[in-house]
Amino acid sequence: MAPSSTLGASTTPTPGNPFRQERAGSMRDMDDVQHLKDGLAPPSRAAKDARSLSNASIFGPRGASLAITGAGPGSFSSNLKNLNAPRHTGSRPELNTFTSREDVHSDEMGASERRQADFREKISKEFKIKTGSENLLDALLQKPSKQSKDQRFKVESELSSSNRKIAELKSQLEEEIERSKRPSTPNQNQHRLSSLFRGSPLRSPNHVEFVSDVEHIESHPEAESPTFVLAETLQALEVEGMQPDYYVSRANGLVELFKRHPTLKYDLAWSIFGLRVQTMLLSESREVVAAGYRVTRHAIADRKSLQTIRSLHTDSLVILSLVKESKATIEREQALKFIRAFLDVKDGVKEISNAVIRTVVSIAEHPEDRLRNMAILTLTEVLIRDGVLVKNAGGLAPLTDALGDGTYPGSESLVSAFLYLTDAPQLRHILSSGRELEAPFSAFTDPSAAYGHEEKLKVNARSIASILNTWPGLFTLATRGFATLRSLILSLSHPEPFARDLVLDLLFDVLHIKPPSWTSSFLAGRRLTTYGRVSSIKPDQMEQQWQVESEDDANRVSLIDQYTALILAVLVHCRLIEALSLLIEETVDPSLRRKTTLLLGEVLKLANYTLPSGISSNLQVLPSLMKNPFQDIKDDNLGVPVSSIIYQVDSVNRTLHRTSAATASTANTKAKPDNNNSQKTTDSGKPRLSIDMDEIHFRSLLVETQVVSTVNYLKWKWDLILDIIEGPLLNPKRLDEAIKATKFLKRLVGFYRPFKYRFSNARNTKPNQRYVRVGCALFRCLLQTNEGVQYLTESKLLRQLAECLAQLDRMSGLTSTSPLFAPERVSETMTSGYFTLLGALSSDAQGLVMLARWRILNMFYRIIDLQDREDLVQLLLGNMDFSIDSHLRVMLSKALISCPKAIRIFSTKLLRKYATQDIPTNSQDTASDVAYWAIRLLVTQLYDPEVEVSEVAVQILQEACNRKSYLEYVVKCRPALDHLGEIGAPLLLRFLSTSLGYKYLDGLDYITQEMDDWFLGRNEKYVTLVEASLSRALSHESERPKSMVDEPIVRQQLGIVPPHFYRELTRTKEGCKLLRDSGHFEEFVSTIQSSWSESGDAETMLKVKGCLWAVGNVGSMELGAPFLELSNVVRYILMIAEGSEVMSMRGTAFFVLGLISRSLHGMEILAEHGWDAATDQNGQSLGYCLPPSLDIFFSIRPTRVEIPFPPQITLKSMPPARDESDPTESRVISLVIDLGNTVLTKRAIGDLHSIRNQRPELFKSVAVFRRVMYIFECHRFRLPVMRFVIDMFDKNVMRQIVLEEASDEAESDEETESQPLTAKPFPST
């Protein structure tokens, strides 16, 4: 709703946090309101006393039943036809069975999306069943085999059934996705509609002819004439005395006609169509009235049509419908949707009258109204489009209350609306108090309000997170000396446990702190096992951290980290450290204390990394917590001493640091074979068996494994077997002993033989993956020595595997009734693990010799050619090691070119680890040779006919270019990217960072063209790209789970500064010379100097932002920093950051200053102005800089903006009275005004009842009714009061106004007939 100029709306949820887990579904409850169905349901039985069209009730009694089979109160079907109603003689299919090409396409797309959602939901359920079965099977494996044999068999059967269902559902989902992508072929005959439209008849045949013609049209939809159907339907609506479902079905036909022919509504004859609509809206049947609103809503074309519709007195009719009781929900819903349709038209909000908005405000103020959420949503949208209209109607109060009470499920949308108004000074003064965004904080700062309102606190916490993650929100909360944030932090001292815990979760979320993997154990109090868990953490996350650090840091500028550093500085300024320290000292809840301790440790670590040393060094001392670290030893209520808690967190952090450092160093020196994540790293906390083990100990371990004593592999101790393989068996002497003196190795290798049907028949479950890990370790162990190689070569394992693979080749002559690699066996059994075992052989030259000896490589070529076995192709390619130059590389090259698109994408993704990482090999090829081979293949993939394949290749090459040597090699390959357009643009920009790439692009005349393109418009597009990236990075959209097969691609991460042309240009001296000669930088500086204070023109502000990003990217490079000093542009950027009236403009300037601080020269310039930058241990800038004073930085200079207020309302401007000399009529008007005063309401109601009993003709007067409606437009009334006043009047009054029927009173008073309310709708103010 709000423009993307703000930083974002919310934060990314942190795993393991109940507050963040519910955020992704925060708007789920609003779907029933925001996405209301378009249709209505007629009554289930016909009305008994239907009357003529000319009478007071023309379509049936108002009390007709609204019961719908299987539907709840207020619900309605997608079409207005009652399927249960009896059909009349000569009935026919309704007009709503027509479908146009556009509707068919949209319906097909919607149906396809629903089917895909169903498939995904079923897959999710099956995955849960599979996980539960695996866990149960893992538990059963720990029991004796005889006791759990039957249970294991049942669990394995259920697990295989789940695997089969998952495979089938995935296949169906992929087919549905492919089917939805195919364009539907339209019917050629449907193009005849345009010619039939021009020659359509306008004559109205009789009813019998109409029925036959409609039946003919329904059987031949291509012969439909829209004007003919429209004319006949309107004539059918003239029939009087029919049942309500008759009119409802005709209205449905009109709606479907408008959907099929959208241009038809532009040529409506409103003199006829408007009369039909008016008669429907005056019906006493709620369903008919609702159908009238629906037809009118679909007839809206532009603002002129809205004015025509309002001339039909729809304002008064809508008010009458909205103030009805809740049992008329179906009518009220359609009336409100009719008002919401005004917002879909350009400038349509200006046609919404003040009276209608006040009625919607009354609904929003009524807490028990079923349409309250829908009314709040409507007011929110109107607030963005015309805030003055909502302000004048008193709509800010209910919106603020909805934001603060925590009952409105769409609180983020309300926050976005308020933030949009807060950002710009022209709109900021629409907010009455300027403290509307402080409403969610009240639930935390008031202890009495927090108790027993857990859901309310969660909703408010989400709102606070949304506010804190935007520039307007942060600036608003920083006013008055950060009083609001200080009160939130002080709420940690309130004795409400749930509120305290939620505030801690909020701080975790706002600071983007991801709790470590041992958090749950630490919070549960498992202190003795914490260190063991830390030391046994899988190194995948640490490996990713090392990988990020090894990349070119200059290409990874995180705006999220810079914004987090500012929020942390603000919270520290609001005494967050002291509040956490006090909470640790005072709380008696051990779980809350541990959570607070964890947050304190993470905050200190974050401060040490992101804040300047002058600030972070003072925080590490913790004087308030360590003033007497042994004071709580004597106090039994406080439990663990404070010093012990701090020592525990510090020890865990040091252990994590040592483990990550060891992992990084190991990654640089030690080979780490990758076999599709099948191998499991040995726990570093568990002592490994020694290689130099004596014979007696070794034999005892072999006996302990149970391998030599039994052939039942279920009794074997597989963990001990793995330890022996990775330990003593690496000693050639122990290996020779295991081969010749015991049956250990013979039985272990025999277990994997296909025709033994042990490993090959084992179920494909998570616990059984240990067999694959042991097998891979065994193969690698045997490949270490000549004896092992000889033993493996002569074993029957590879021979039988070759025979089973040959069954896939039709030309081999080997067949089987149940092949080992049949699709069902591959998915349900451990047969797929054989490819993992063969992958372990492919990582060694001796293993490749074995594969060639048994002609397994020949079988691999055959598998690559199988068009109907993509599962086998992916298993083969995904498990092989291509680091050695062999036939496997030829197979991969073949798969990249000749296989289907899915395999080509999969194969391209496999090249990522070879092109971006150092892959140690056992051959003579260096790591760079392997990377160069992968880069050559990726460059070839750029010319793939499928754009998806080329896009994946571009992403991987862009990541590979983070290393200068790889970047230069990519340039040497001279790739042509012109055919990829925007997809290949980021990769071409990376070429500019080296002199070689600059010369290559200069020869293609790319640089000058791209420079002109960026100077003339791409800078503005870059602003949109950055702000969209920030918004998505700070949003709470749940990420879809990644595929189990595809290797994830590291894409352009959200919140990272995208590549900028001028940034890459200034990496080389040639680029700096070109930039100096072009004069573009001087133009950017001139724009910033001349328009830095702009706050009204959106186009100028967008241009200034584009210039700011260009200057910041240039200044972030060491070669580009001198441009800053020569132009003195930093002074103007500081003026924007500290003095601009647009908050989002200030935020852009803050980010740009962070970019400038990344260069040494830029950091010195900022230091001269008092800005302090954070640096690492080597003195290199991290790109995070802070202003010298937060109070000055967040200060907003008050501005005065004249807001047009409505003219002073007096009774003299009211429509004239029925009789100026009648004091009773004046008394009625005065009493209606008194109803707005809660003190006088009761007396005014009694007096009105008395007057009605004495003078009933006053409440049948059109003039009195007009004056009352005028009062409703000018004053605020509660919804029950408006309903009471309107129910006092006779129901024929509205009919007299709308249809302008001449009553006795109107004939005697012509002036009354000429009043504005009769001739035109309420004026919009």
Side-chain angles (χ1 to χ4, degrees), residues 191-201 221-227:
H191 291 287
R192 304 178 192 174
L193 289 175
S194 59
S195 60
L196 291 174
F197 182 86
R198 289 190 293 269
S200 58
E222 69 273 7
E224 178 189 35
S225 174
T227 53

Side-chain angles (χ1 to χ4, degrees), residues 924-1169:
Q924 313 224 334
D925 293 342
T926 61
S928 59
D929 293 335
V930 178
Y932 293 162
W933 160 77
I935 288 173
R936 289 194 299 270
L937 291 182
L938 288 170
V939 171
T940 305
Q941 292 305 98
L942 295 176
Y943 311 109
D944 193 278
E946 295 291 342
V947 180
E948 293 87 345
V949 180
S950 302
E951 185 176 4
V952 173
V954 168
Q955 293 169 356
I956 300 175
L957 285 174
Q958 189 176 353
E959 186 178 352
C961 289
N962 287 330
R963 302 193 178 192
K964 186 176 180 180
S965 59
Y966 294 173
L967 171 59
E968 292 179 349
Y969 188 78
V970 173
V971 175
K972 290 180 181 179
C973 293
R974 302 180 66 85
L977 300 175
D978 295 342
H979 63 289
L980 295 179
E982 294 293 333
I983 297 177
L987 183 58
L988 287 175
L989 287 181
R990 298 304 302 272
F991 290 179
L992 290 173
S993 59
T994 62
S995 299
L996 183 64
Y998 180 89
K999 294 176 182 178
Y1000 169 64
L1001 295 178
D1002 190 32
L1004 298 177
D1005 198 22
Y1006 167 82
I1007 299 179
T1008 55
Q1009 295 180 8
E1010 192 73 5
M1011 177 178 283
D1012 294 339
D1013 191 13
W1014 277 81
F1015 183 74
L1016 296 177
R1018 289 281 291 278
N1019 272 330
E1020 287 75 9
K1021 295 180 181 179
Y1022 184 85
V1023 175
T1024 306
L1025 178 63
V1026 173
E1027 292 180 352
S1029 176
L1030 279 170
S1031 178
R1032 290 187 58 189
L1034 296 173
S1035 65
H1036 295 85
E1037 298 178 0
S1038 58
E1039 297 182 359
R1040 290 181 58 183
K1042 297 177 181 178
S1043 173
M1044 301 293 292
V1045 179
D1046 293 346
E1047 183 178 354
I1049 290 293
V1050 180
R1051 300 181 177 179
Q1052 177 68 43
Q1053 296 187 11
L1054 299 177
I1056 302 299
V1057 177
H1060 197 284
F1061 174 80
Y1062 292 98
R1063 174 187 176 87
E1064 305 300 327
L1065 189 66
T1066 51
R1067 288 180 181 270
T1068 60
K1069 295 181 180 179
E1070 297 88 346
C1072 291
K1073 183 178 182 302
L1074 178 62
L1075 178 60
R1076 190 178 300 108
D1077 296 339
S1078 65
H1080 287 185
F1081 191 84
E1082 288 75 12
E1083 290 291 335
F1084 297 149
V1085 174
S1086 176
T1087 302
I1088 295 174
Q1089 291 177 353
S1090 61
S1091 306
W1092 72 270
S1093 60
E1094 180 61 43
S1095 61
D1097 189 0
E1099 184 176 352
T1100 303
M1101 288 191 294
L1102 181 63
K1103 186 175 181 180
V1104 172
K1105 287 182 179 180
C1107 295
L1108 286 173
W1109 283 113
V1111 170
N1113 278 281
V1114 170
S1116 64
M1117 307 306 299
E1118 293 295 341
L1119 294 178
F1123 287 92
L1124 303 176
E1125 188 172 8
L1126 294 176
S1127 60
N1128 198 21
V1129 69
V1130 176
R1131 183 169 66 90
Y1132 292 94
I1133 299 177
L1134 290 172
M1135 292 170 61
I1136 295 177
E1138 297 177 353
S1140 177
E1141 297 180 0
V1142 182
M1143 298 177 182
S1144 58
M1145 183 72 76
R1146 285 193 177 192
T1148 302
F1150 176 78
F1151 286 138
V1152 169
L1153 291 173
L1155 283 176
I1156 293 175
S1157 69
R1158 295 185 67 84
S1159 64
L1160 180 60
H1161 201 68
M1163 187 168 58
E1164 293 175 354
I1165 296 176
L1166 290 176
E1168 295 176 359
H1169 292 84

Side-chain angles (χ1 to χ4, degrees), residues 690-699 701-702 724 727-742 744-745 781 785:
S690 174
I691 297 179
D692 301 326
M693 184 180 294
D694 60 87
E695 181 180 354
I696 298 177
H697 189 194
F698 177 67
R699 285 180 175 271
L701 287 178
L702 295 184
I724 292 176
L729 279 188
L730 294 177
N731 189 334
K733 187 176 181 181
R734 299 282 84 84
L735 177 62
D736 184 68
E737 182 181 349
I739 293 175
K740 297 178 180 180
T742 66
F744 176 79
L745 212 57
C781 176
T785 61

Side-chain angles (χ1 to χ4, degrees), residues 172-240:
Q172 294 174 4
L173 177 60
E174 292 176 357
E175 293 176 358
E176 183 62 36
I177 293 175
E178 291 294 331
R179 189 183 302 113
S180 64
K181 292 181 179 179
R182 300 190 196 119
S184 58
T185 305
N187 190 355
Q188 297 290 337
N189 295 329
Q190 291 184 0
H191 291 287
R192 304 178 192 174
L193 289 175
S194 59
S195 60
L196 291 174
F197 182 86
R198 289 190 293 269
S200 58
L202 296 177
R203 187 176 57 86
S204 301
N206 57 35
H207 183 68
V208 178
E209 291 176 348
F210 169 68
V211 172
S212 60
D213 288 340
V214 170
E215 290 177 349
H216 173 71
I217 289 173
E218 291 176 349
S219 60
H220 303 283
E222 69 273 7
E224 178 189 35
S225 174
T227 53
F228 170 75
V229 176
L230 176 62
E232 294 304 324
T233 306
L234 292 178
Q235 176 146 0
L237 289 175
E238 293 182 6
V239 181
E240 303 178 1

